[in-house]
């Protein structure tokens, strides 16, 4: 083909050749409609940023690139987020004009500096504290709708529940009277097709009619509420806010958010719920796990949003010549950023196609977007999804997909969910028939991102044996006999003990593949965890466990290892000793204790590490002099775990050792309640979200971020586990955790938000 005959406009592609794959890409075609991330696998692997002549957009498919675009809302303007992706025919334009259709800026498609003041002014009803007020309403609606079909044996969940409940929730949330649901549903679909679809010219006119009527309807409702805006809901709240800040919240703005709000608040949630239930029923073992262990639901919701989210792609306009992933992109280019593809990028998520509800970084998904335009309603959506799954797993655990059904999707680039979802079950087996008390069981809802604490697995206690005075060893196994995941020396698990989360280091031997061994000291001043282990745990008991995770990783390749343990701190150290011995490395073990009777693993240590072992039982007058340790020798690595006194002495000694020689793990925290008389308040600026959050003297950074709707996973909330870390861009941190190393603190690029604070009046975080 000569260049003159080439159908592709290379100038739009910045003069770059368009590959065959890029030329063939069509987001309205079968492959993308069936499975957007799968249809773009080639792109993630070979050409992560490409020009699509079919739609005239640049397409961005890798995680880091998509996130970078979301993060920079100036270079990548959101102004085209609601633009019609298919050019509108003259007739349709005339139809819209007849209705006075004037959809203007809404939060979704507005540039700075106008956007953030509006977002801030309208944010309050979306904060977790306000959202909690809606939980009873969401539960009541879910219950009522399931009541309607629970005895039927078969239902189309989309038609009979998943569309109307989110729509009703949306109307309640907005403070809009419940109107004709079926009409509103048609309006919403028309809006989606109008914005993100490819209607034929004839369809365009019908769609424009519906959109025009929707616009008119939104205006009428707004007027009605304006007459008495004292009621609950976001729209009355916004009308009241308009009185305070008329120049920020204008009339046309209110009309636009009224219409966009109805769609944004319900269609995405309805689709997300249908996707989630379909995915769970296709993965029956996971569905069964949720039925048995409802505390897994919040994380399952998050993994469903990552794996099969309802917002497949979003749009941005490039405002200056730039590069994305190294590819030059000209000013004026339009971007289709495919967040569903980013969510399956193996560069960010391990085995991304697997559906794994215990995935550690699930919440990193980009289904809600990211940064200053992140979905404001994300926590309302999460709440609804949790309530739906709680209701269905409790009342219809025997639910299954009707086999052989073909799932259809409304053809468009962005909003994705099956139009129908047929399920069936045997009503005679409904649990509530045998035991009406089932209906009183409330699955707790977590408002906000899932707690890392909830990513649990159930284990059985296989044996409990004395290891020394006051210490028992427990062997933990998978209840079904499957091997537990592999672990590395220094790793710990988090056990859920009667409502408490406690960490225990793994100390099993190499031959014990598939089971975990831990040793637990009964603390005289126990806060409940170790007492529970000693008094209540017997063989056969079931426990919720999280992990293993490792913040005390053994570096390979050192010339010599010095391993130091005090008391129960021997647990990670013995695993390290086994590993360095197996690797044939040079090492020595130093083990201090009160007396031999209280020192665990002495036989094993003598047997496996006899000539390398140095024991210091205090009752025999033996004392470890840390100044004699070989830390100063080039290539030596020192690992230590034990009581604070020992670790402080080592830290002091380590000042004379080469940097990064000493690695320690604390088992305890000295964290105290925050005393407002001693602490000072400060501001945390969030660079990616465009927010400034004030942290009061008696508040943690984590709590302040949560109250402002920022997602941060957490677990121990004592500065011990490292889950709640956040990137620091500016400002000096007063580090109070027990996880970061001296080098990490000195770099000042990371902080643990559950306990660390600002030295000065401001911190800037990369959130
Ligand atoms: N305590 C142990 O008895 N054995 C261990 O192996 C152990 N490993 C720990 C690992 C880490 C990373 C951390 C932070 C703590 C560890 N602890 C260990 C301390 C326990 O988590 C817990 O604080 C202790 O059992 C006292 O809890 P209680 O006051 O509720 O009884």
């Amino acid at each position: 083909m000569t260049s003159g005959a080439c159908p592709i406009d290379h100038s739009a592609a910045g003069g770059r050749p368009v590959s065959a794959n890029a030329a063939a890409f069509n987001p309205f075609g079968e492959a993308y409609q069936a499975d957007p991330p799968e249809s773009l696998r080639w792109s993630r692997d070979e050409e992560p940023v490409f020009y699509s002549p079919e739609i005239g957009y640049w397409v961005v498919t890798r995680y880091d690139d998509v996130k970078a675009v979301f993060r920079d809302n100036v270079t990548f303007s959101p102004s085209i987020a609601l633009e019609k992706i298919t050019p509108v025919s003259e007739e349709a334009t005339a139809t819209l004009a007849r209705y006075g259709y004037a959809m203007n800026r809404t939060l979704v498609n507005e540039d700075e500096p106008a956007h953030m003041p509006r977002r801030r002014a309208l944010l309050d009803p979306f904060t977790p504290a306000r959202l909690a007020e809606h939980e009873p309403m969401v539960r009541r609606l879910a219950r009522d709708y399931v009541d309607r079909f629970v005895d039927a044996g078969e239902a189309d969940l989309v038609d009979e529940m998943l569309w109307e409940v989110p729509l009703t929730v949306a109307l309640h949330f907005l403070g809009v009277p419940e109107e004709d649901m079926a009409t509103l549903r048609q309006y919403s679909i028309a809006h989606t097709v109008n914005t993100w679809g490819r209607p034929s010219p004839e369809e365009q006119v019908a769609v424009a009619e519906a959109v025009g009527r929707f616009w008119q309807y939104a205006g009428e409702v707004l007027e009605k509420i304006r007459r008495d805006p004292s009621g609950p809901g976001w729209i009355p709240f916004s009308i009241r806010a308009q009185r305070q800040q008329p120049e920020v919240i204008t009339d046309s703005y209110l009309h636009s958010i009224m219409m966009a709000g109805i769609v944004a608040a319900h269609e995405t949630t309805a689709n997300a719920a249908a996707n989630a239930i379909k995915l769970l029923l296709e993965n029956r073992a996971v569905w069964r796990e949720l039925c048995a262990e409802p505390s897994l639901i919040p994380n399952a919701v998050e993994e469903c949003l990552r794996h099969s989210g309802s917002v497949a792609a979003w749009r941005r306009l490039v405002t200056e010549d730039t590069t994305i992933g190294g590819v030059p992109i000209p000013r004026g280019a339009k971007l289709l950023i495919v967040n569903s593809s980013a969510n399956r990028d193996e560069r960010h998520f391990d085995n991304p196609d697997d559906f794994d509800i215990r995935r550690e970084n699930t919440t990193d998904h980009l289904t809600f977007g990211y940064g200053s335009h992140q979905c404001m309603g994300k926590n309302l959506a999460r709440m609804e999804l949790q309530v739906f799954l709680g209701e269905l797993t409790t009342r219809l655990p025997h639910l299954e997909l009707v086999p052989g059904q073909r799932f259809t999707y409304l053809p468009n680039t962005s909003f994705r969910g099956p139009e129908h979802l047929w399920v069936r079950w045997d009503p005679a087996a409904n649990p509530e028939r045998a035991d009406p008390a089932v209906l009183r069981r409330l699955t707790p809802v977590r408002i906000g991102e899932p707690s890392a604490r909830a990513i649990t697995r159930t284990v059985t206690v296989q044996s409990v044996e004395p290891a020394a005075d006051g210490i028992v060893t427990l062997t933990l196994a998978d209840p079904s006999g499957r091997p537990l995941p592999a672990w590395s020396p220094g790793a710990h698990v988090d056990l859920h003990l009667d409502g408490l989360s406690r960490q225990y280091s793994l100390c099993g031997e190499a031959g014990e593949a598939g089971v975990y061994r831990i040793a637990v000291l009964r603390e005289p001043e126990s806060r409940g965890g170790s007492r529970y282990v000693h008094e209540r745990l017997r063989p056969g008991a079931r426990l919720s466990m999280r992990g293993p995770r490792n913040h005390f990783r053994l570096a390979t390749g050192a010339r010599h290892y010095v391993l130091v343990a005090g008391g129960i701190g021997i647990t990670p150290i013995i695993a390290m000793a086994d590993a360095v011995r197996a690797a044939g490395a040079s090492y020595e073990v130093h083990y201090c204790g009160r007396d031999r009777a209280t020192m665990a693993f002495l036989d094993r240590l003598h047997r496996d590490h006899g000539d390398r072992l140095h024991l210091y039982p205090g009752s025999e007058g033996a004392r470890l002099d840390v100044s004699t340790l070989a830390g100063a020798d080039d290539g030596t690595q020192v690992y230590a775990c034990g009581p604070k006194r020992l670790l402080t002495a080592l830290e002091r000694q380590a000042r004379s050792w080469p940097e990064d020689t000493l690695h320690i793990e604390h088992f305890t925290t000295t964290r105290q309640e925050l005393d407002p008389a001693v602490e000072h308040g400060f501001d945390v600026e969030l660079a990616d979200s465009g927010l400034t959050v004030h942290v009061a003297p008696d508040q943690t950074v984590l709590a302040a971020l949560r109250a402002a709707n920022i997602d941060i996973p957490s677990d121990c909330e004592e500065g011990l586990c490292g889950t709640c870390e956040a990137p620091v861009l500016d400002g000096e941190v007063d580090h109070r955790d027990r996880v970061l190393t001296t080098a990490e603190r000195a770099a000042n690029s990371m902080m643990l938000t559950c306990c660390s604070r600002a030295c000065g009046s401001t911190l800037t975080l990369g959130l």
Side-chain angles (χ1 to χ4, degrees):
M1 189 184 279
T2 65
S3 64
C6 179
I8 292 165
D9 177 6
H10 291 279
S11 60
R16 293 161 65 91
V18 173
S19 69
N21 275 330
F25 174 72
N26 177 3
F28 305 103
E30 234 170 75
Y32 182 94
Q33 289 303 317
D35 190 343
E38 184 54 36
S39 76
L40 284 163
R41 183 184 295 278
W42 66 269
S43 162
R44 291 194 296 282
D45 289 345
E46 297 159 24
E47 204 183 349
V49 180
F50 68 91
Y51 180 74
S52 160
E54 174 69 29
I55 51 172
Y57 277 66
W58 288 81
V59 184
V60 184
T61 60
R62 275 192 192 164
Y63 185 89
D64 285 349
D65 296 336
V66 172
K67 191 163 180 177
V69 171
F70 274 129
R71 180 180 286 127
D72 181 353
N73 64 346
V74 175
T75 311
F76 306 110
S77 154
S79 56
I80 58 165
L82 297 182
E83 191 175 282
K84 292 157 200 61
I85 200 162
T86 299
V88 191
S89 69
E90 270 178 33
E91 217 183 329
T93 310
T95 306
L96 286 170
R98 229 183 29 253
Y99 284 99
Y101 178 73
M103 175 68 123
N104 209 322
R105 294 288 157 221
T106 75
L107 288 165
V108 165
N109 59 356
E110 182 161 62
D111 284 317
E112 304 306 343
H115 163 252
M116 273 323 285
R118 285 186 176 148
R119 189 171 164 108
R120 280 187 215 109
L122 299 175
L123 195 64
D124 189 63
F126 292 93
T127 55
R130 294 276 83 75
L131 284 181
E133 294 161 10
H134 296 284
E135 188 186 321
M137 175 265 294
V138 177
R139 283 190 188 279
R140 196 182 60 245
L141 282 168
R143 168 82 22 126
D144 287 354
Y145 273 74
V146 175
D147 279 348
R148 293 181 197 175
F149 59 71
V150 70
D151 292 317
E154 191 167 271
D156 173 0
L157 283 183
V158 174
D159 272 358
E160 293 175 52
M161 173 179 183
L162 301 180
W163 202 276
E164 280 190 14
V165 178
L167 179 52
T168 317
V169 170
L171 296 177
H172 274 285
F173 176 78
L174 294 169
V176 170
E178 281 176 41
E179 299 282 332
D180 177 3
M181 298 283 179
T183 312
L184 276 178
R185 180 174 177 186
Q186 288 318 313
Y187 285 171
S188 289
I189 292 174
H191 177 65
T192 298
V193 173
N194 187 40
T195 313
W196 295 282
R198 175 146 290 186
S200 65
E202 303 76 56
E203 282 168 332
Q204 281 198 13
V205 177
V207 161
E209 274 289 334
V211 170
R213 272 189 261 125
F214 193 3
W215 175 254
Q216 226 173 28
Y217 164 81
E220 284 159 16
V221 175
L222 188 61
E223 275 322 301
K224 219 188 290 177
I225 301 176
R226 218 187 261 288
R227 272 175 243 135
D228 176 15
S230 61
W234 192 46
I235 297 295
F237 172 88
S238 304
I239 293 172
R240 294 196 297 272
Q242 186 184 34
R243 291 185 188 151
Q244 315 296 323
Q245 305 183 55
E247 69 299 339
V248 173
I249 303 161
T250 58
D251 281 348
S252 105
Y253 196 73
L254 279 178
H255 196 159
S256 296
I257 61 166
M258 174 76 206
M259 177 165 156
I262 291 177
V263 179
H266 100 271
E267 195 167 339
T268 45
T269 311
N271 280 327
N275 288 335
I277 294 164
K278 173 173 174 287
L279 185 62
L280 284 163
L281 293 178
E282 285 168 346
N283 291 271
R284 191 114 213 126
V286 184
W287 173 262
R288 260 188 252 117
E289 270 193 280
L290 293 195
C291 295
E293 183 49 70
S295 67
L296 291 168
I297 287 177
N299 211 63
V301 162
E302 221 59 26
E303 174 68 350
C304 289
L305 288 168
R306 182 197 71 83
H307 189 281
S308 300
S310 57
V311 180
W314 212 238
R315 285 178 289 162
R316 290 283 186 262
L317 177 69
V318 177
T319 59
E320 59 186 63
D321 289 354
T322 185
T323 59
I324 301 174
V327 176
I329 309 284
R331 175 169 185 263
K334 293 178 175 185
L335 304 179
L336 185 72
I337 44 175
V338 191
N339 34 349
S340 56
S341 166
N343 288 344
R344 298 273 196 100
D345 185 350
E346 66 195 20
R347 291 149 205 85
H348 192 85
F349 298 102
D350 292 340
N351 304 314
D353 298 325
D354 290 356
F355 177 51
D356 174 5
I357 58 170
R358 295 191 176 80
R359 193 179 284 282
E360 289 272 351
N361 62 349
T362 310
T363 37
D364 286 354
H365 71 74
L366 298 174
T367 300
F368 293 127
Y370 178 77
S372 62
H373 281 269
Q374 194 185 41
C375 172
M376 290 227 288
K378 64 184 178 183
N379 287 331
L380 181 59
R382 282 170 165 150
M383 182 209 286
E384 289 185 60
L385 293 170
Q386 290 177 45
V387 169
F388 296 169
L389 291 185
E391 188 73 12
L392 291 172
T393 51
T394 308
R395 299 182 69 187
L396 294 171
H398 47 321
L399 203 63
E400 58 179 34
L401 289 173
V402 169
Q405 63 184 309
R406 246 192 84 242
F407 297 103
T408 56
Y409 296 84
L410 188 72
N412 77 98
T413 54
S414 298
F415 284 11
R416 193 184 147 73
E419 290 175 298
H420 301 281
L421 183 66
W422 281 98
V423 290
R424 65 179 191 189
W425 66 96
D426 175 8
N430 288 359
E432 63 206 56
R433 292 202 183 179
D435 177 13
V438 166
L439 291 172
R440 290 199 294 276
R441 211 181 292 152
L442 269 195
T443 309
V445 160
R446 181 173 168 94
I447 299 177
E449 82 294 356
S451 158
R453 229 176 255 183
I455 313 172
T456 55
R457 114 185 22 253
T458 303
V459 287
T460 317
V461 178
Q462 226 173 39
S463 65
V464 183
E465 282 159 14
D469 284 358
I471 301 176
V472 287
T473 50
L474 270 64
T475 308
L476 308 172
D478 184 280
S480 63
R482 274 178 302 188
L484 292 169
W487 57 281
S488 51
H492 69 265
V493 291
D494 303 75
L495 293 188
H496 295 193
L497 305 166
D498 203 22
L500 301 166
S501 173
R502 293 287 180 263
Q503 294 73 38
Y504 295 102
S505 303
L506 295 177
C507 57
E509 295 180 58
E512 301 171 341
V515 297
Y516 291 163
R517 190 139 37 120
I518 57 170
V520 179
L521 168 72
R522 183 179 176 138
E523 288 288 346
E525 306 282 317
S526 173
R527 294 157 297 164
S530 62
R531 185 173 61 233
Y532 184 85
V533 170
H534 279 256
E535 289 180 4
R536 305 284 291 280
L537 288 187
R538 298 289 173 262
R542 280 179 170 239
L543 282 178
S544 239
M545 182 193 87
R546 176 167 177 246
R549 293 179 300 149
N550 200 338
H551 298 299
F552 192 38
R553 224 170 257 286
L554 187 65
T556 51
R559 214 183 40 72
H560 184 69
Y561 292 89
V562 176
L563 308 175
V564 184
I568 192 63
I570 189 63
T571 47
I573 295 297
I574 197 169
M576 289 182 170
D578 288 355
V580 291
R581 173 171 170 259
S586 156
Y587 72 101
E588 57 196 90
V589 181
H590 300 265
Y591 182 14
C592 321
R594 213 169 57 230
D595 53 52
R596 284 175 196 262
T598 60
M599 294 168 74
F601 304 125
L602 287 181
D603 290 348
R604 179 173 149 195
L605 285 163
H606 277 300
R607 185 192 69 201
D608 296 339
H609 305 286
D611 54 339
R612 314 292 175 99
L613 180 65
H614 306 266
L615 292 181
Y616 306 91
S619 62
E620 297 170 22
R623 282 244 171 283
L624 167 65
D625 177 358
V626 295
S627 67
T628 61
L629 294 174
D633 296 357
D634 202 26
T636 293
Q637 291 285 299
V638 181
Y639 289 83
C641 183
K644 185 158 185 272
R645 201 168 12 92
L646 173 67
L647 300 183
T648 309
L650 279 163
E651 279 177 316
R652 216 172 292 128
Q653 184 62 35
R655 290 186 201 136
S656 62
W657 297 344
E659 219 173 289
D660 278 340
T661 298
L662 178 66
H663 311 268
I664 56 178
E665 179 151 86
H666 286 270
F667 279 1
T668 53
T669 172
T670 46
R671 217 189 117 220
Q672 321 228 315
E673 290 296 304
L674 290 169
D675 179 354
V678 178
E679 308 291 349
H680 68 281
F682 53 95
D683 285 339
V684 176
E685 286 173 7
L686 306 177
D688 296 348
S689 313
L691 287 176
T692 300
V693 174
H694 183 71
V695 182
D698 59 351
Q699 194 181 29
T700 64
V701 175
L702 181 66
L705 291 174
R706 291 240 166 102
N709 246 359
I710 302 296
D711 292 347
I712 298 246
S714 72
D715 188 352
C716 77
E717 300 190 9
E718 291 185 277
L720 288 170
C721 77
T723 310
C724 63
E725 68 178 17
V728 177
L729 305 181
D730 201 15
E732 203 185 328
V733 180
D734 173 4
H735 290 285
R736 301 185 184 182
D737 65 276
R738 292 298 182 87
V739 175
L740 298 183
T741 62
T742 317
E744 283 168 332
R745 282 166 193 227
N748 204 46
S749 59
M750 203 56 88
M751 75 179 286
L752 297 199
T753 54
C754 73
C755 57
S756 298
R757 306 181 67 78
C759 292
S761 58
T762 333
L763 282 179
T764 308
L765 302 183
L767 291 173

